[in-house]
Amino acid sequence: MNFMKRTAFFAAILFAASACSDSEEYTQEAITAPSPFHGIHGITVTKEGKILAGSVVGSAIYEVDRDSGATSIYEGPPEGMADDLEEGPDGTLAWTAFLDGKVYARKTDGTLLTLAEGLPGLNSIAWTDEGRLFATQVFLGDALYELDPSGENPPREIMSGMGGLNGFDFGPDGKLYGPLWFKGQIARVDVDTGTLDVVAEGFATPAAVNFNSKGDLYAVDTEAGHVYRVNTDTGAKTLIAEVSPAIDNLAFDNEDKLFITNMADNAVIAVDTESGEVETIVSGPLAIAGDIALNEEGKIFVADLFAIRKVDPVSSTIEEIARVWSSNIDYPLSISIANGHVAVAALTAGAVQVFNEAGDASSEPHHGFTTPADAIVLSDGSIVVSEYARGALVRVAADDWDNRTDIATGLEGPAMLKLNGDGMLYVSENLGGQISRINPDTGERIVVAHDLSAPEGFDIMPDGRLAVAEVGAKRIVAIDLESGESEVIGENLPIGFEAPEDTPSLFIPTGVAVAKNGDVYYSSDIDVRIYRLRKG
């Protein structure tokens, strides 16, 4: 998969000619550097010393060079989706495909096996020294299973309802040790008797544990950004190192060097367990690069899945507004700015949240929406939410999130939202291939653009046209709503990352935002970066 192999930062500028070949008026420029991953989670070090890191959104396992930080695809999409991964005693690599509900195993002869399926939320995995294999469901389930490494027999459930038994490891005593994500504890499990006891507690949100070769247990706390050494006899914990929150996993190499991942920073970090010094081996400025929006000052707000960030398009500097676990946000993928408010929607989490435009005052994330693709605040303070799978626009009353009313139904994959000057709503219908204008008070709907190829993000240009990302055609077009004429202002664009099986085709929304001078910004879900199509 060539799109996963990153080039140098300024190389993308050379891409401008092909990106805008149908129009001489726009030149493509990179605003941010690319990112090495599409989010990063599990990590392991093989017996040969290869550092392997897994991505759920990117559906890939990456190999990371310890010295240079260079990354390459080790196991590509779609089978490469990995929330956690570990090499067994015979060299078999096994991993959990969280969204697909599967466990895969790659044998040393190259054979790929499916060891489990139909178990959404398969999250953590570990081998015993004898070659037994275990995995858990977390978030979309809460159970521990033993798997047959040959793939001949179905998974055997050992226990359930533990409290989110996440990244675990087997200790010198043959017992399984792992964090209980939702309880702030570390537990010890006897996999033969199905019994559990707590060995340490007092964590904020413990994400994973691992033993070094000496039998010392180390744990990472995602909410606190802490790395601890834990005494399994007394439960005492010693702070070893501190990094930014959103740590996901950890692994030791054969020389007891510790490596951790940080999902918000797309980072692999080396930790010296003696001195506490940390060294970032590789990281990215953005984590996912979902939808974008421009504020009045011309700053680009990015719904970055693991964070909300603000980009200065002049200096390319990035300011973080909030990140998962250290802030009260729930995996935002789309964002809008209207009537003094920033609204974010979390497609997979079913959540919508509203901030003031300064980004320093927030409501709680509100859940219970059906695949919310976007949200926008109207002039009266009410919020409109596009529910992608249900084909509806929902209006939420100001200051009463339980007061929800459908204002339009029968839409085909309603995605991104935009208000025009007279208070009317535009919505892109991703599955229907059209843009509709909807009266938020009456629900009256008029199709204003049609025959589009999977439209996602769009914005209103200074001349009144709509700049629309036709993701299915990998281009951005300017559409005159009166004449219906369309002009390609950028094509062959790095947009349209393929969605995993059984997920909404929208997946990572391509955002479009138009500046006052007519420049068009868009997010690349393939390169994980922000681009500008400069006018003139």
Side-chain angles (χ1 to χ4, degrees), residues 168-252:
F168 52 81
D169 195 16
F170 282 89
D173 58 1
K175 302 297 192 296
L176 182 155
Y177 291 77
L180 300 181
W181 180 283
F182 298 107
K183 295 182 177 181
Q185 301 170 331
I186 291 176
R188 175 173 48 223
V189 176
D190 186 318
V191 296
D192 293 317
T193 63
T195 56
L196 177 152
D197 63 289
V198 175
V199 299
E201 52 192 346
F203 299 90
T205 307
V209 304
N210 234 294
F211 286 92
N212 65 9
S213 66
K214 300 174 183 177
D216 299 323
L217 184 66
Y218 287 78
V220 292
D221 190 319
T222 188
E223 183 176 339
H226 290 170
V227 180
Y228 293 102
R229 183 168 53 245
V230 180
N231 187 312
T232 57
D233 294 325
T234 67
K237 55 184 183 290
T238 303
L239 179 63
I240 299 300
E242 187 171 1
V243 299
S244 297
I247 306 172
D248 195 271
N249 217 313
L250 75 166
F252 286 96

Side-chain angles (χ1 to χ4, degrees), residues 215-459:
D216 299 323
L217 184 66
Y218 287 78
V220 292
D221 190 319
T222 188
E223 183 176 339
H226 290 170
V227 180
Y228 293 102
R229 183 168 53 245
V230 180
N231 187 312
T232 57
D233 294 325
T234 67
K237 55 184 183 290
T238 303
L239 179 63
I240 299 300
E242 187 171 1
V243 299
S244 297
I247 306 172
D248 195 271
N249 217 313
L250 75 166
F252 286 96
D253 69 7
N254 297 330
E255 298 177 348
D256 278 344
K257 295 177 180 177
L258 179 61
F259 302 91
I260 65 175
T261 58
N262 187 296
M263 50 190 163
D265 295 326
N266 261 351
V268 175
I269 302 167
V271 178
D272 188 316
T273 57
E274 296 300 325
S275 68
E277 293 182 0
V278 298
E279 174 196 358
T280 299
I281 296 172
V282 61
S283 66
L286 298 175
I288 295 294
D291 188 25
I292 62 173
L294 276 172
N295 69 0
E296 285 296 318
E297 297 175 350
K299 302 297 175 59
I300 306 167
F301 283 61
V302 185
D304 205 20
L305 186 61
F306 304 112
I308 299 172
R309 295 185 161 104
K310 183 165 61 175
V311 180
D312 186 324
V314 177
S315 65
S316 295
T317 55
I318 299 176
E319 175 188 346
E320 185 174 289
I321 297 173
R323 71 166 53 200
V324 292
W325 300 111
S326 65
S327 307
N328 192 18
I329 60 172
D330 199 350
Y331 299 103
L333 269 174
S334 59
I335 192 164
S336 70
I337 300 176
N339 294 304
H341 292 88
V342 178
V344 296
L347 183 75
T348 56
V352 173
Q353 187 171 9
V354 175
F355 298 80
N356 69 12
E357 194 166 329
D360 56 8
S362 166
S363 68
E364 297 289 320
H366 295 273
H367 295 82
F369 294 93
T370 304
T371 54
D374 202 6
I376 197 166
V377 178
L378 304 184
S379 59
D380 65 354
S382 62
I383 304 103
V384 174
V385 180
S386 55
E387 292 193 320
Y388 185 86
R390 201 166 69 86
L393 295 190
V394 180
R395 188 166 185 168
V396 182
D399 301 319
D400 185 1
W401 284 86
D402 293 326
N403 187 347
R404 305 177 185 182
T405 306
D406 286 350
I407 59 173
T409 57
L411 305 177
E412 298 181 74
M416 318 319 290
L417 300 167
K418 188 68 62 176
L419 283 167
N420 69 5
D422 59 5
M424 296 295 104
L425 267 174
Y426 290 118
V427 57
S428 58
E429 296 185 53
N430 176 251
L431 300 178
Q434 57 194 23
I435 307 286
S436 294
R437 183 172 64 236
I438 294 177
N439 186 319
D441 295 320
T442 67
E444 180 185 4
R445 172 191 175 204
I446 300 173
V447 175
V448 296
H450 53 80
D451 297 327
L452 303 175
S453 180
E456 294 185 7
F458 66 97
D459 201 359

Side-chain angles (χ1 to χ4, degrees), residues 8-260:
F9 174 52
F10 290 107
I13 298 178
L14 301 177
F15 176 64
S18 63
C20 307
S21 59
D22 273 16
S23 173
E24 298 300 324
E25 296 184 3
Y26 291 86
T27 301
Q28 177 158 286
E29 302 170 340
I31 299 299
T32 62
S35 203
F37 313 107
H38 286 78
I40 187 173
H41 302 287
I43 187 169
T44 194
V45 184
T46 69
K47 295 177 182 64
E48 297 177 347
K50 293 180 179 179
I51 300 175
L52 303 179
S55 173
V56 172
V57 173
S59 295
I61 297 171
Y62 304 85
E63 182 174 351
V64 180
D65 186 280
R66 170 65 179 87
D67 297 321
S68 68
T71 63
S72 59
I73 294 293
Y74 187 84
E75 184 80 37
E79 291 87 0
M81 178 190 293
D83 200 345
D84 195 12
L85 66 168
E86 187 171 293
E87 185 182 53
D90 68 349
T92 298
L93 182 70
W95 63 92
T96 54
F98 179 83
L99 295 177
D100 291 342
K102 298 179 180 180
V103 170
Y104 291 107
R106 179 73 75 183
K107 308 290 286 185
T108 55
D109 65 1
T111 303
L112 181 67
L113 302 176
T114 301
L115 307 185
E117 54 188 330
L119 297 173
L122 280 169
N123 189 300
S124 302
I125 197 162
W127 298 84
T128 68
D129 291 339
E130 296 75 33
R132 296 173 69 184
L133 182 62
F134 297 82
T136 53
Q137 288 174 291
V138 186
F139 306 116
L140 303 181
D142 190 3
L144 170 65
Y145 299 89
E146 181 169 8
L147 310 179
D148 179 2
S150 72
E152 295 177 359
N153 299 303
R156 177 180 68 89
E157 183 176 316
I158 295 172
M159 59 193 308
S160 62
M162 298 85 67
L165 182 58
N166 214 329
F168 52 81
D169 195 16
F170 282 89
D173 58 1
K175 302 297 192 296
L176 182 155
Y177 291 77
L180 300 181
W181 180 283
F182 298 107
K183 295 182 177 181
Q185 301 170 331
I186 291 176
R188 175 173 48 223
V189 176
D190 186 318
V191 296
D192 293 317
T193 63
T195 56
L196 177 152
D197 63 289
V198 175
V199 299
E201 52 192 346
F203 299 90
T205 307
V209 304
N210 234 294
F211 286 92
N212 65 9
S213 66
K214 300 174 183 177
D216 299 323
L217 184 66
Y218 287 78
V220 292
D221 190 319
T222 188
E223 183 176 339
H226 290 170
V227 180
Y228 293 102
R229 183 168 53 245
V230 180
N231 187 312
T232 57
D233 294 325
T234 67
K237 55 184 183 290
T238 303
L239 179 63
I240 299 300
E242 187 171 1
V243 299
S244 297
I247 306 172
D248 195 271
N249 217 313
L250 75 166
F252 286 96
D253 69 7
N254 297 330
E255 298 177 348
D256 278 344
K257 295 177 180 177
L258 179 61
F259 302 91
I260 65 175

